[in-house]
Amino acid sequence: MGEPTLRPAPRYDAFISYARSRDGALAAALHAELERFAGSWWRSRRLRVFHDLASLPASAGLRESLERSLARSEWFVLLASPESARSRWVGHEVDWWLANRSTDRILIAVTGGTLRWDGGTDALSPSLAAAFAEEPHWIDLRPYAGTTGRPLLGDIVADLAAPILGVDKDTLVGEHLRRRRGATRTLIAAVVVLILLAVTAVGGAVIARNQAREAERQAAVATARQLQALADVSLPTDPRTALGLSLAAHRIDPGDESDRGVYRTLASTPYVSTLSAHRKPVTATAFASAQRLLALGDDDGAVSVWDLADPARPRLRHGPADLGIGVVSALAFESGGTVLAVGGVTDPAQSRAVSRVALWDVAQPFAVGHRVLPALTGRLTALTFLPGRPMLAGTLVEPYPAKPSLHLWGTPSVAQARPSGAPAVSADGDPMALAATGDGRHLVMGSSQGDGTTIAGSVTLWAVDDAGTPRRIAAAQLGPVASVAVSGDGHTVAAGGQDRTGAGSITLFDITDRKRVRRMDTAFGSRPDPVAGVALSPDGRLLAEAGGRSLRLWDVHDRNDPIAVDTPGEAHQDDVRTVVFAGDGGILVTGSADTTGIVWDAHGRTAPDAAGTVTLRPRGTPADPWWASAEGKMLRGVLGAPGTVTSYRVRALPSPDGRLIVTTDLDGQAVLWQTGPDGRSRQLPVPADRLSAVTWAAFDPGFHLLITAGAERAQLWDVTDPSRPAPLGPAMTGVVPPAAFSADGRLLVIDGVDEDDGNGVLTSTVTVYDLTDPGRPRQLSRIDGTRETLVKSLALSPDSATLAVADSSDTRLYDLSDLSAPVRLAKSLPKTADPVAFTPDGRTLAGVSRQTLVLWNVEDPRDPRPLGTPLPLAYEGEASTITVTRDSRRVSVTTPVPGPADDLGVQSWDMSRLVRLRAEAPESACTMTDAASSGAVEWRRYLDTPETVRLCPGP
């Protein structure tokens, strides 16, 4: 067979350059409409346009791939905005074009900022503005930028398509309209022909009808696939539109493929709903857990109150109401959830700012249920109620030379609220954030200060006595602080803001000892821009970090080792200014300068539910009656599932059916045991020399093979007659645990001896064997790899098409479709290590790392996606096995418990919700999110039809 023919690299009519943070949705819409403008029904794509998210392969080296694509492009289309002018990647693309192409082939579409050739433009970089001898032709797309969802561009696309095609705009638009009318006439003519055929020949009509149905089916499949591809592209920046596109794909072509598409989209984003009642940037948020009420405040002085009893269908209860107290700078609910405190500032940028606090009984309309407290000179920055006490606290930045201050008000009721003593002066800089401990006895203040050359800040702990008098008791210095949060147990403080270099930073503090504020380990966070807000979930396990346009979640169950988990992405169109956990911590709300709030599922809708923990203390050998007890049967169940035993630390290993048990001792002696109908086990009379020098063992899923390993050797045994295990062929040498059998027992994967290259780097080889003839294992392939840690676990998917190789840092996936040439898939799974196991349905990979269980959606192993947040393990120590029940509904982790008793801890989770979500993905997307809350959404720009597509059932 000859060498495969390589396809030539594609050439592009145009290359779209844009700032992804601002114009991701607009670029995707422009790409789709530009390619098919004035296309015919038989050739819908008239132009080939490069768009990075749609055109780059997943494994591409970004810089090199972009330059190759630029070299193959005829025109350069720039979506110009202040963000693109500052973008490093857009700048690189522009510089390449100016160095290698003519400015005559640059088309400019302005999406933001100003474009003036008499100076002062902020939409173009200086190098590009200087490259034009005179003002070039440009089009204005600013009305389409920053809208929710994907814009419908219409005939304005002709302004760009015309020069690329070399025709004038009027001719192109006319051709576009003629072809659409022609397609309609063709359809009408086809219908007429079908009618005539039906009249003249019934048999011909049946054939024609079947052909038409097949054509319609294929068109529906193609359209649905295009919509799902657009959903994948838009998901990071516009999850609501992505969910709607996936639902539209399912509506057009219902079936397994579109079901999987909806599930993949739904499982990949925690998006729930959008709160869009405000017209100005959202500046503050507050949540009342008891009433499930959310408050939003904005730059225009308006406040709205939302009922989040159903987070996917938020109901506007009040407002937005203009309180008449200025820009809303702070919001806080009292613990009962009926009184909302609103801080407002007039002329906040002026030296004589005036602040007011309004108390509102939200059980009544604002007009009759509020009271405004006496005005304060200065800028109010934060408010918080003290839980369990009728008291409100606030921080004020006062004009120089006055000092910043901490104010308290007694709030037995709205009508009786009054100042509680004199304000306390703060000597720690300008107070910007305030939070109360759960007992209501202490306040935590975050401050910032600087003299123009240095920046600094502090976290200060204050005690509040019964009379409502605050007293400063401890402080810690760090960079400027913009936000603080206190854990539900009152022991941990999270402070977000900047480090002393100006980069975004988060620091955790321990305030268990109320006499000091102790910094935990080091600051974390990696964003270049300041952290605008932080929030801790009520159980203190999750931390939300807001800044720029994005939200990031951290698992902080280990306070000294925070773990970054995957984020919702940049769904907001402008900076996120505030973040708050709602209810029990399962819901998270962000407020943004784009005038919206977004509700998120903080735990992940795919997260399994805890199903309990149990500590087992195995007694004696498997002949002991304990092994026949309920606990013993449980242990056999969690240790004996196929493909899950990944560690030599487990000394007793049952076969998958539980009828055999192999044990190993510290001297390397293996013993076989057989379990009878009564659950009792007896030792089989196997000569000791048969199973010596063994440190690790595993049964195959078919129950008739046993592999033992030790001393860099592995031996396969036929245990069809367990009392007489027979060696199958010579021992394999140069191999070490772990190993894994395929579900059908036809493949064996085993690790090789790791070799040190002398520089501390380990090189190991994983080998794949064919066990069709177990006596003569045939080597199919070898997977060479260089890593700094040992291979700890191997797992084969049920269809044997994917291999997971885990070490102590991450897991790498390999495509085994061609067993003679495994291919490493580009995306590894971070924070997923020893051990790992596929669920029996092959859709999920479970792994343990850093004392957490992590789950991945691997339906498409080329694009694995995390499922929910990491789940903390109850037992300390290195986990030894992961077991998944045959219906994929329960996952268990077994961990040796440190101590002399050799106990084993078993922790289980119920994954029924995940299984149900897969089975009912379209229905779940309709009930769990507001993607189709309007009932009917027009998708004309995607379907090229005025038809309205109903995405979800309902009136």
Side-chain angles (χ1 to χ4, degrees):
M1 186 167 56
E3 293 292 324
T5 302
L6 296 177
R7 296 178 60 184
R11 298 198 63 81
Y12 300 101
D13 295 290
F15 180 107
I16 298 178
S17 180
Y18 66 102
R20 186 180 300 180
S21 61
R22 173 186 176 83
D23 295 322
L26 182 57
L30 180 62
H31 168 256
E33 296 194 28
L34 193 58
E35 284 199 332
R36 70 170 186 260
F37 194 81
S40 57
W41 64 269
W42 67 88
R43 183 189 174 199
S44 60
R45 186 166 76 174
R46 189 167 180 180
L47 292 173
R48 189 180 188 92
V49 179
F50 178 90
H51 174 229
D52 56 355
L53 291 180
S55 305
L56 282 179
S59 60
L62 186 56
R63 186 186 187 95
E64 182 181 349
S65 297
L66 287 173
E67 290 183 354
R68 284 200 303 267
S69 300
L70 283 164
R72 295 195 295 268
S73 301
E74 296 297 325
W75 288 82
F76 185 90
V77 178
L78 173 66
L79 301 190
S81 66
E83 288 83 354
S84 67
R86 295 191 299 266
S87 169
R88 178 167 61 91
W89 286 106
V90 173
H92 173 70
E93 293 161 359
V94 168
D95 291 342
W96 188 97
W97 193 272
L98 294 178
N100 297 276
R101 294 286 194 272
S102 169
T103 56
D104 294 336
R105 292 268 169 162
I106 296 179
L107 299 174
I108 298 175
V110 179
T111 65
T114 58
L115 189 64
R116 297 194 303 269
W117 245 252
D118 56 352
T121 181
D122 60 357
L124 299 181
S125 64
S127 61
L128 181 59
F132 292 100
E134 57 183 6
E135 180 176 355
H137 175 69
W138 55 277
I139 65 172
D140 190 1
L141 293 184
R142 283 174 290 195
Y144 303 93
T147 58
T148 302
R150 291 188 180 278
L152 179 61
L153 300 178
D155 291 345
I156 197 170
V157 176
D159 287 305
L160 297 173
I164 296 173
L165 291 169
V167 298
D168 65 87
K169 177 182 176 181
D170 291 340
T171 301
L172 185 62
V173 172
E175 182 181 2
H176 180 65
L177 295 175
R178 285 194 303 274
R179 288 189 168 176
R180 292 190 63 176
R181 287 195 296 266
T184 303
R185 288 194 298 269
T186 300
L187 179 61
I188 294 172
V191 172
V192 171
V193 170
L194 289 175
I195 293 174
L196 291 175
L197 287 174
V199 173
T200 58
V202 174
V206 171
I207 295 173
R209 185 169 62 251
N210 290 340
Q211 290 176 339
R213 287 176 178 172
E214 178 61 19
E216 290 176 358
R217 189 192 69 81
Q218 292 181 3
V221 170
T223 301
R225 287 175 176 171
Q226 181 186 15
L227 288 172
Q228 185 56 51
L230 288 169
D232 291 340
V233 170
S234 61
L235 183 62
T237 57
D238 193 352
R240 187 183 193 188
T241 294
L243 286 163
L245 288 167
S246 289
L247 286 171
H250 179 266
R251 169 66 178 80
I252 291 166
D253 180 39
D256 290 343
E257 182 177 352
S258 59
D259 277 354
R260 289 194 299 271
V262 175
Y263 168 74
R264 186 169 70 249
T265 305
L266 185 61
S268 298
T269 176
Y271 172 85
V272 176
S273 58
T274 297
L275 312 172
S276 53
H278 287 260
R279 296 183 297 176
K280 294 293 184 178
V282 174
T283 55
T285 56
F287 189 78
S289 298
Q291 305 293 329
R292 297 194 67 81
L293 295 179
L294 173 78
L296 300 179
D298 69 23
D299 261 350
D300 205 26
V303 174
S304 62
V305 178
W306 301 77
D307 184 340
L308 290 190
D310 179 359
R313 307 288 183 272
R315 184 171 63 87
L316 184 61
R317 177 176 288 192
H318 297 298
D322 185 355
L323 307 191
I325 59 174
V327 173
V328 177
S329 61
L331 294 170
F333 271 108
E334 54 86 28
S335 55
T338 59
V339 177
L340 174 67
V342 183
V345 184
T346 56
D347 299 324
Q350 305 301 316
S351 60
R352 300 300 296 176
V354 175
S355 297
R356 292 175 175 83
V357 174
L359 296 179
W360 176 8
D361 181 352
V362 295
Q364 306 177 61
F366 177 75
V368 297
H370 82 282
R371 178 182 171 215
V372 178
L373 302 182
L376 301 170
T377 301
R379 179 164 53 91
L380 185 77
T381 56
L383 287 172
T384 185
F385 280 95
L386 279 66
R389 304 177 67 182
M391 197 165 292
L392 173 70
T395 51
L396 196 73
V397 177
E398 301 186 42
Y400 181 83
K403 298 290 187 181
S405 54
L406 173 63
H407 294 248
L408 282 95
W409 296 266
T411 56
S413 68
V414 171
Q416 296 175 322
R418 60 179 50 86
S420 176
V425 174
S426 170
D428 299 291
D430 292 341
M432 305 305 295
L434 191 65
T437 57
D439 60 6
R441 311 302 299 183
H442 294 83
L443 291 168
V444 177
M445 179 190 297
S447 305
S448 66
Q449 56 188 326
D451 58 7
T453 59
T454 61
I455 57 175
S458 62
V459 168
T460 311
L461 184 63
W462 297 73
V464 182
D465 63 19
D466 292 338
T469 302
R471 177 174 58 88
R472 182 183 184 277
I473 56 176
Q477 303 301 310
L478 67 164
V481 177
S483 178
V484 293
V486 180
S487 61
D489 62 9
H491 297 321
T492 305
V493 172
Q498 302 168 263
D499 61 20
R500 294 179 185 272
T501 69
S505 177
I506 303 170
T507 307
L508 298 181
F509 296 91
D510 184 354
I511 58 169
T512 304
D513 179 356
R514 296 299 199 224
K515 296 180 181 179
R516 67 184 186 127
V517 179
R518 182 177 65 85
R519 186 192 302 263
M520 292 184 181
D521 203 3
T522 58
F524 58 98
S526 58
R527 64 174 64 251
D529 44 349
V531 173
V534 292
L536 280 167
S537 60
D539 62 5
R541 187 172 69 86
L542 284 179
L543 182 146
E545 166 205 350
R549 296 186 180 184
S550 66
L551 171 72
R552 188 170 203 178
L553 295 179
W554 295 84
D555 184 336
V556 292
H557 78 277
D558 181 348
R559 300 293 197 243
N560 292 310
D561 189 18
I563 303 171
V565 299
D566 282 291
T567 69
E570 298 185 355
H572 283 290
Q573 302 302 306
D574 208 331
D575 289 347
V576 181
R577 294 185 172 184
T578 178
V579 58
V580 63
F581 275 99
D584 60 359
I587 295 297
L588 188 68
V589 180
T590 52
S592 168
D594 66 5
T595 76
T596 69
I598 292 183
V599 182
W600 307 95
D601 182 345
H603 288 163
R605 51 181 61 94
T606 57
D609 299 312
T613 60
V614 62
T615 301
L616 304 178
R617 178 169 294 176
R619 298 176 185 172
T621 69
D624 190 289
W626 181 89
W627 289 84
S629 68
E631 288 187 328
K633 291 178 181 178
M634 177 186 296
L635 180 63
R636 292 202 300 269
V638 297
L639 296 183
T644 63
V645 177
T646 58
S647 173
Y648 54 82
R649 291 186 295 276
V650 177
R651 298 178 189 169
L653 171 68
S655 62
D657 64 348
R659 68 185 180 91
L660 293 177
I661 300 175
V662 60
T663 61
T664 60
D665 60 27
L666 295 178
D667 296 324
Q669 182 63 53
V671 179
L672 273 175
W673 307 77
Q674 188 170 38
T675 303
D678 61 353
R680 301 292 184 89
S681 299
R682 64 182 180 86
Q683 182 176 344
L684 296 172
V686 179
D689 60 351
R690 283 291 183 95
L691 296 173
S692 60
V694 173
T695 59
W696 187 91
F699 289 98
D700 86 312
F703 319 149
H704 67 278
L705 289 181
L706 171 71
I707 185 172
T708 59
E712 300 183 3
R713 297 165 59 88
Q715 178 69 60
L716 284 168
W717 302 84
D718 183 347
V719 289
T720 305
D721 181 355
S723 64
R724 297 182 179 180
L728 295 170
M732 294 175 282
T733 59
V735 295
V736 294
F741 288 100
S742 62
D744 59 9
R746 296 174 64 88
L747 295 178
L748 172 69
V749 183
I750 190 166
D751 188 25
V753 176
D754 295 290
E755 299 179 359
D756 195 323
D757 67 353
N759 296 314
V761 177
L762 299 175
T763 301
S764 64
T765 301
V766 174
T767 306
V768 182
Y769 290 96
D770 180 354
L771 296 185
T772 303
D773 180 359
R776 296 181 179 180
R778 182 169 61 91
Q779 180 179 311
L780 296 175
S781 56
R782 292 161 59 91
I783 301 172
D784 297 322
T786 300
R787 52 181 61 84
E788 297 179 358
T789 55
L790 298 175
V791 172
K792 295 291 194 69
S793 179
L794 297 169
L796 280 164
S797 61
D799 61 2
S800 303
T802 306
L803 169 66
V805 180
D807 56 32
S808 57
S809 60
D810 63 14
T811 293
R812 305 169 189 184
L813 299 181
Y814 293 85
D815 183 354
L816 299 188
S817 299
D818 181 353
L819 288 169
S820 64
V823 176
R824 179 182 172 183
L825 300 175
K827 191 172 183 179
S828 62
L829 311 184
K831 305 182 292 292
T832 307
D834 171 41
V836 293
F838 285 94
T839 55
D841 61 13
R843 294 177 167 184
T844 304
L845 181 74
V848 170
S849 182
R850 297 170 70 178
Q851 292 297 300
T852 62
L853 173 70
V854 290
L855 301 176
W856 291 83
N857 176 15
V858 290
E859 288 184 299
D860 181 359
R862 297 166 301 177
D863 184 23
R865 300 184 182 185
L867 294 171
T869 57
L871 303 166
L873 300 184
Y875 298 95
E876 295 184 1
E878 293 188 48
S880 59
T881 70
I882 294 179
T883 306
V884 185
T885 55
R886 295 186 183 278
D887 61 3
S888 299
R889 289 182 177 271
R890 181 178 289 254
V891 59
S892 299
V893 175
T894 306
T895 306
V897 179
D902 288 332
D903 292 347
L904 289 173
V906 181
Q907 187 172 2
S908 301
W909 292 266
D910 184 349
M911 297 197 297
S912 297
R913 180 167 48 178
L914 174 60
V915 174
R916 187 166 55 250
L917 188 70
R918 282 198 179 100
E920 304 171 356
E923 296 85 351
S924 298
C926 288
T927 58
M928 292 181 174
T929 76
D930 69 346
S933 59
S934 61
V937 179
E938 294 183 2
W939 297 99
R940 290 177 296 183
R941 58 181 174 272
Y942 302 109
L943 306 180
D944 197 21
T945 174
E947 179 186 1
T948 296
V949 178
R950 185 174 298 278
L951 302 184
C952 292

